[in-house]
Amino acid sequence: MQETVSTEAPLIPRAALFGNPSRRGAAISPDGRHITFLAPLDGVMNVFIAPRGALDHAKPLTHETKRGVPFYQWAQNSGHVLVGRDTDGDENFHVHAVDITTGHARDLTPHENVRAEIAKLSRRHPGDVILSHNARNPQFPDLYRVDITTGAATMITENPGFAAFAIDDDFNVRCAIAFQPDGSQITLRPDPASGWVPFLQFAPEDAMISGIEENFAPDGTTLIRSSAGRDTSALYRLALDTGEQTLIAADDRADIGGVLVDQITKAPLAYSVNYERNRYVALDPSVQPDLDYLDAANIGDWVAQSRTDDDKLWVIGSNADTAPGAAYLYDRTAKSLEKLYDSRPELADAPLAAMHPVIIEARDGLKLVSYLTLPKGSDATTPGRPSRKLPLILLVHGGPWARDEFGYNPYHQWLANRGYAVLSVNFRASTGLGKSFVNAGNNEWARAMDDDLLDAVDWAITANIADPARVAIMGGSYGGYATLASMTRNPTTFACGVDIVGPSNLETLLATIPPYWESIRTIFQRSIGNPDTADGLALLRERSPVHLADRLARPLLIGQGANDPRVKQAESDQMVAALKAKGIPVTYVLFPDEGHGFARPENNIAFNAITEQFLAAHLGGRAEPIGADEISRSTAQILEGADTLR
C-alpha cells in the first residue's frame, strides 16, 4: 500500500457522479410547443415530454426497462419523436417513431440484425424521414424514404460501396462520399447516364478533416470544409455547377467546428472553434446579439442543440468545468434565458475542482492541448500547481480520432476528489487541431502517439505536479489500447493501468471491424497498418500489446463488454490469456450485457468501484467503500483477480 493522499474535501459518492442524471438531452419540437428530454423511469433513461413552460408536467414517452435510450430526435411534423434502441450494446440500432399523443411506437426498421440511422429530416417533407440501414448488405447501408406514421418504406438509393451520402431538403441524394485505397476522399454526384461521377477530391492528407456539408442552398451552393492548401480545416462555399470555392471562415489554431446555418437559406450564421475552449464567431450580424448575450450569461461553454422552425427559440446546452451540464430555453426575441434543468442537481454543493487547459510541447515540437484537474484545495497558493507532488492519473481518450475538451468531466472530478492529479492529453492523431496533427499519428500507434503521453507525464513530473513513483494510465477504446501498449513498451513508467474495451491485437482488430465500417477500412489501414502487405502486417504485429505481454510488470485491470461490436471480447480474452501463460497477474471484469463501454449505470458504477479500490491499492488515493450491493446489482463477472479486490 502506498502512502495515502489526504484532502479535506468530502468524498463525492460514485452514484452521484456515474448514476443516471436527473435529466439530459433536451430538445424543442419544431413548432415550439413541446420540450423533450431524457430522464430515468424506474432507473432506466427514457424520453419524457412536456408542454413548453411546464416541465413539471412531463410524462414518459418511451418505456425502456433495461437499457436507456441511446439517441432520439424530433420528427419535423412535431407529432412524433424518432427513438433509437439496440440490444445489450450490440449497436444494431432500430429507429422507432413514437406518437406524442397516443404513445404508440412503430419500428421503422423491422429487420433482423439491422443497424439503422436517421439520415435526413426536412421541413419540406414533415411526415417522412430518410433512414439508412444495412438490411440488404451488412457492409453498405442503403437509403430509404419512410412514412413516419405508417412505416411504409421505399428505397431511394442503393449503396454500391460508399461511406456516406449528402441529401438536400427535397430528399434528393445530391452527393456520395467514397474513400480510395490511397486514403483520398472522393465526392461524387449522381448522373443519369453514368451512375455516379466524381467532381471533388481531397488528397489523403486532407481526407480525414475535409468534406461536403448537407447545407444545399437555393442558390446552387453548399458548404464544405477543406484543409487543402492549408493546415487547419476551413469553411468554404462551394458552387455545385462550377466547383468554385469561396473562403468563409478559418482559424490557424484549430479546425472549424460547429456551423450555425439559416434553416431556410442555408446561409452560415456563425461558426465555432475549439482550441483550448469552444467559442462561437458570428458571420451574420443578425446573430451577433445572440452570441453576445449567451457569452455574457456566465453559463460556461455553450452550444445551440435544438431550434424551432421559426428560429425564435433555441435550447442551449451549457458546459462548465465545475457545473454538470444544464439546459436552457433561449428566447431570441425577448433576449431571455430560462433554465430548464441541471442534469445533476445533487452535485450543486459538491467540492468540484477546476479544470486547467495547458499546452505541453512534445519532443518534436508538436503542441499538445491538454487538461489538468487537481484535488480541490491542493493548489490554493498557485492555481494549477499543487503544493506537493501528487499521484497522477493519465486519462487517455478513445478514438483515436476524437479529442478531449474543456468542461465538466465526471472522471476528472471523481479521480481528483480521490486525491489524484488527472491529466488528459490531445496526443497526435487527435482531431480538430489540423491535418498535420491528425496525420502525425499515421503508423505511430505505440510509438510517437505513446511518446506524446510519456512527454506529458514528464512535463507533470518536471512541473512538480506528479510523483514519478505513483503514475497510472487509464482509458477506454483507443485509450485502453494506449494503456496496454504503454505498459508493455514502458514496463516501469506506470505504477498500474486500467484498460476499458481496448484492443490488444491490431491484426484481429482490423479483421473483425463491424461490417458497416467496411467503407472506411482504408482509413484504418492508412493509420494503423495494412494487413494485406508484408510491411503492414509486420507493423500490426509489432504494435500489438498481446505479443509483448511478457513485458508487463505492473498491475493491470481490464473491463470488457461481451457484446462490443467494435473491440470484440476476444481482444481482452487474448490479452488475459497471454498474461496468464506468462504467470503475470491481471484483474479481468466482463459485463455480459454491455457493448463498447458500460452504458447501464449499475455496471458503470460497479466497474468504477472496482477501479477505485484498484487505484487506491497501487497509488494510495482515497476510496469510497464498495457498497453491500454495488457489485451484485450489476452484471459484473470478475473472471480473473477477484482475490486482489478483497
Side-chain angles (χ1 to χ4, degrees):
M1 172 75 72
Q2 299 284 346
E3 176 189 355
T4 300
V5 176
S6 63
T7 177
E8 295 180 357
L11 287 175
I12 303 173
R14 280 186 296 272
L17 291 162
F18 299 109
N20 283 322
S22 62
R23 293 173 178 176
R24 68 174 176 86
I28 191 166
S29 58
D31 63 10
R33 296 178 60 191
H34 292 92
I35 299 283
T36 45
F37 53 84
L38 294 170
L41 176 66
D42 297 326
V44 179
M45 296 299 284
N46 276 276
V47 180
F48 281 67
I49 187 169
R52 176 166 60 87
L55 256 65
D56 289 343
H57 293 88
K59 297 180 179 179
L61 193 58
T62 63
H63 296 83
E64 296 297 314
T65 58
K66 183 177 181 182
R67 192 174 184 84
V69 170
F71 64 86
Y72 81 93
Q73 192 171 350
W74 273 97
Q76 281 295 136
N77 63 11
S78 292
H80 291 83
V81 172
L82 305 178
V83 178
R85 68 184 303 271
D86 72 346
T87 302
D88 290 341
D90 64 4
E91 298 186 14
N92 283 329
F93 298 111
H94 285 229
V95 176
H96 297 251
V98 184
D99 187 303
I100 69 168
T101 302
T102 66
H104 176 262
R106 179 186 299 277
D107 187 352
L108 301 182
T109 50
H111 310 283
E112 292 293 327
N113 300 316
V114 68
R115 175 186 169 90
E117 295 180 355
I118 300 169
K120 185 71 176 181
L121 291 162
S122 172
R123 66 171 66 203
R124 296 183 186 176
H125 305 281
D128 291 351
V129 59
I130 303 297
L131 298 178
S132 72
H133 68 69
N134 58 354
R136 182 190 63 85
N137 184 331
Q139 295 181 323
F140 305 117
D142 305 314
L143 295 179
Y144 295 81
R145 181 168 178 166
V146 182
D147 185 299
I148 292 170
T149 302
T150 68
T154 303
M155 181 190 288
I156 62 170
T157 299
E158 183 175 301
N159 188 346
F162 298 144
F165 296 94
I167 309 165
D168 68 19
D169 283 351
D170 280 323
F171 288 164
N172 297 310
V173 181
R174 302 290 293 275
C175 301
I177 294 90
F179 288 92
Q180 302 303 294
D182 66 352
S184 61
Q185 180 197 141
I186 294 180
T187 304
L188 308 95
R189 7 185 213 205
D191 180 84
S194 307
W196 293 92
V197 178
F199 83 102
L200 188 66
Q201 183 162 1
F202 297 103
E205 61 269 21
D206 298 304
M208 286 284 287
I209 63 172
S210 302
I212 197 163
E213 300 278 303
E214 267 190 352
N215 288 295
F216 297 98
D219 64 0
T221 65
T222 191
L223 302 178
I224 64 167
R225 300 166 195 262
S226 175
S227 58
R230 53 177 296 114
D231 187 50
T232 56
S233 180
L235 184 68
Y236 294 84
R237 181 173 293 282
L238 171 70
L240 291 166
D241 55 351
T242 66
E244 181 182 359
Q245 300 179 23
T246 304
L247 179 66
I248 297 173
D251 188 286
D252 290 338
R253 302 172 307 157
D255 301 332
I256 297 299
V259 181
L260 196 68
V261 301
D262 185 282
Q263 297 182 112
I264 297 175
T265 69
K266 305 301 180 180
L269 304 175
Y271 66 92
S272 65
V273 172
N274 191 349
Y275 187 62
E276 295 178 51
R277 301 279 300 271
N278 191 56
R279 293 288 182 263
Y280 275 94
V281 179
L283 291 168
D284 189 305
S286 67
V287 300
Q288 188 65 62
D290 301 303
L291 305 190
D292 292 343
Y293 180 89
L294 292 167
D295 286 344
N298 195 31
I299 59 174
D301 295 1
W302 59 270
V303 63
Q305 61 191 39
S306 180
R307 300 155 68 188
T308 54
D309 270 348
D310 61 14
D311 217 19
K312 292 181 179 179
L313 298 172
W314 294 355
V315 171
I316 300 295
S318 70
N319 185 23
D321 55 344
T322 56
Y328 300 83
L329 185 64
Y330 171 53
D331 187 319
R332 298 183 67 201
T333 303
K335 292 293 181 290
S336 63
L337 200 62
E338 171 195 349
K339 179 177 277 191
L340 298 175
Y341 56 75
D342 289 303
S343 63
R344 294 186 182 272
E346 64 272 28
L347 294 179
D349 298 319
L352 301 180
M355 175 181 278
H356 304 276
V358 293
I359 308 298
I360 298 171
E361 186 167 322
R363 63 191 66 182
D364 61 357
L366 275 186
K367 300 295 190 294
L368 310 177
V369 179
S370 306
Y371 299 94
L372 174 70
T373 303
L374 300 173
K376 191 173 181 65
S378 67
D379 57 344
T381 302
T382 305
R385 293 295 183 272
S387 57
R388 61 188 179 86
K389 295 179 181 180
L390 298 168
L392 173 76
I393 308 290
L394 181 66
L395 191 63
V396 187
H397 71 68
W401 307 298
R403 64 158 294 173
D404 285 307
E405 298 180 346
F406 178 86
Y408 174 77
N409 185 312
Y411 284 86
H412 272 243
Q413 295 297 340
W414 168 49
L415 296 169
N417 180 255
R418 278 19 177 194
Y420 307 111
V422 191
L423 182 61
S424 290
V425 181
N426 283 308
F427 47 87
R428 70 193 65 209
S430 300
T431 51
L433 300 166
K435 68 183 180 187
S436 297
F437 197 85
V438 72
N439 287 315
N442 289 345
N443 295 324
E444 293 295 340
W445 287 43
R447 288 300 182 269
M449 291 163 71
D450 183 53
D451 290 343
D452 289 346
L453 301 177
L454 298 176
D455 292 346
V457 170
D458 287 344
W459 169 85
I461 292 171
T462 302
N464 292 317
I465 294 168
D467 176 351
R470 293 188 291 167
V471 178
I473 182 170
M474 172 177 171
S477 193
Y478 174 83
Y481 166 83
T483 297
L484 299 176
S486 203
M487 290 186 70
T488 50
R489 184 184 183 215
N490 317 290
T492 61
T493 297
F494 299 101
C496 61
V498 182
D499 153 35
I500 305 166
V501 298
S504 67
N505 185 333
L506 298 182
E507 186 180 355
T508 56
L509 173 73
L510 290 184
T512 60
I513 63 171
Y516 45 81
W517 282 0
E518 185 62 34
S519 61
I520 58 172
R521 179 181 290 276
T522 56
I523 294 176
F524 289 93
Q525 293 178 346
R526 185 168 185 266
S527 302
I528 307 174
N530 187 347
D532 297 331
T533 68
D535 288 345
L537 185 59
L539 183 67
L540 293 174
R541 291 175 177 172
E542 173 191 321
R543 306 293 172 82
S544 293
V546 71
H547 301 310
L548 303 169
D550 59 344
R551 290 178 53 82
L552 195 139
R554 299 292 170 81
L556 175 66
L557 169 63
I558 295 177
Q560 178 69 47
N563 305 308
D564 192 336
R566 309 183 200 184
V567 178
K568 299 290 196 295
Q569 179 184 333
E571 292 297 316
S572 291
D573 288 350
Q574 287 179 75
M575 191 67 189
V576 170
L579 292 170
K580 289 181 65 179
K582 300 294 183 180
I584 300 171
V586 61
T587 303
Y588 181 24
V589 185
L590 180 71
F591 293 89
D593 57 347
E594 292 286 4
H596 196 60
F598 311 137
R600 297 186 63 220
E602 298 89 346
N603 292 337
N604 201 25
I605 291 171
F607 186 75
N608 289 342
I610 293 169
T611 299
E612 191 168 319
Q613 308 305 314
F614 177 84
L615 294 173
H618 302 296
L619 295 185
R622 304 192 304 166
E624 176 188 4
I626 295 180
D629 62 348
E630 206 165 6
I631 306 299
S632 62
R633 290 180 65 241
S634 76
T635 60
Q637 299 175 358
I638 305 176
L639 303 183
E640 299 290 339
D643 56 320
T644 66
L645 301 174
R646 296 189 182 120

